[in-house]
């Protein structure tokens, strides 16, 4: 079940802390692989309570956190060879109109007004064939992108379950700046 604790924060004092209860909750029909809130999310304005979710074998969905039964939009991200849906394991809103999705060895940037496909998609590292046959740079990160963060100067940080972190220019639409292996 998906629930959101959206009450006012507890301020520490000598008084007994108040009880925190969910503002709303709803069962999820399938396992969620990732979710993120819209940057303008404000529980006092139901028009802004947007939630982006991903589930296995389904398009990415933009729903209202207060009414999960209604889908505002769905975004198709498919494998070009098999036409299977790619289910992102991490999602991040960049601004009010764009979000980044991370999956195995791949990042994609979407515009919320364009539901057809990502506006930009790229591999987080060069493939084995490119590295072996053509001497492509081995820098990059490999594995499932498990977390995403954005700096104030639009540098996207992507972390993988393989304990690697990559930094990408221009919100993931630019070149790979650096890659770190944290497996030591």
């Amino acid at each position: 079940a998906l629930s959101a604790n959206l009450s006012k924060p507890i301020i520490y004092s000598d008084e007994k802390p108040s009880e925190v209860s969910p503002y709303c909750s709803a069962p999820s029909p399938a396992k969620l692989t990732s979710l993120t809130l819209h940057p303008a999310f404000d529980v006092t304005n139901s028009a802004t309570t947007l939630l982006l979710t991903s589930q296995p074998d389904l398009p990415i969905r933009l729903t209202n956190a207060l009414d999960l039964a209604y889908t505002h939009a769905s975004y198709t991200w498919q494998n070009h060879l098999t036409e299977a849906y790619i289910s992102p394991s991490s999602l991040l809103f960049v601004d009010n109109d764009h979000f980044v999705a991370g999956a195995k060895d791949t990042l994609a940037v979407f515009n919320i007004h364009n539901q057809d496909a990502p506006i930009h998609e790229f591999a987080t590292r060069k493939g084995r064939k490119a590295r072996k046959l053509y001497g492509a740079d081995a820098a990059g990160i490999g594995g499932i992108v498990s977390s995403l963060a954005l700096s104030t100067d639009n540098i996207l940080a992507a972390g993988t379950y393989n304990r690697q972190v990559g930094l990408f220019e221009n919100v993931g639409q630019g070149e790979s700046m650096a890659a770190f292996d944290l497996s030591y």
Side-chain angles (χ1 to χ4, degrees), residues 105 123-134 136-138:
D105 298 330
T124 57
R125 70 174 175 175
K126 302 291 183 201
R128 188 177 317 149
K129 184 177 181 181
R131 290 191 312 266
K132 186 176 180 180
L133 296 178
Y134 309 116
D137 187 9

Side-chain angles (χ1 to χ4, degrees), residues 24-67:
C24 67
S25 66
S28 177
K31 175 185 138 188
L32 291 175
T33 55
S34 184
L35 67 96
T36 189
L37 299 176
H38 192 274
F41 192 100
D42 179 7
V43 75
T44 61
N45 181 357
S46 62
T48 65
T49 55
L50 299 175
L51 175 71
L52 197 60
T53 62
S54 74
Q55 298 173 322
D57 304 318
L58 292 172
I60 302 166
R61 292 180 48 210
L62 182 66
T63 60
N64 191 308
L66 303 178
D67 182 12

Side-chain angles (χ1 to χ4, degrees), residues 103-161:
K104 186 175 187 324
D105 298 330
T106 310
L107 290 172
V109 179
F110 290 82
N111 182 321
I112 64 169
H113 305 292
N114 178 9
Q115 299 176 31
D116 296 332
I119 58 173
H120 187 73
E121 183 178 357
F122 67 97
T124 57
R125 70 174 175 175
K126 302 291 183 201
R128 188 177 317 149
K129 184 177 181 181
R131 290 191 312 266
K132 186 176 180 180
L133 296 178
Y134 309 116
D137 187 9
I141 58 172
I144 298 171
V145 177
S146 59
S147 59
L148 297 166
L150 188 65
S151 72
T152 55
D153 51 350
N154 288 331
I155 296 174
L156 179 71
T160 68
Y161 286 119

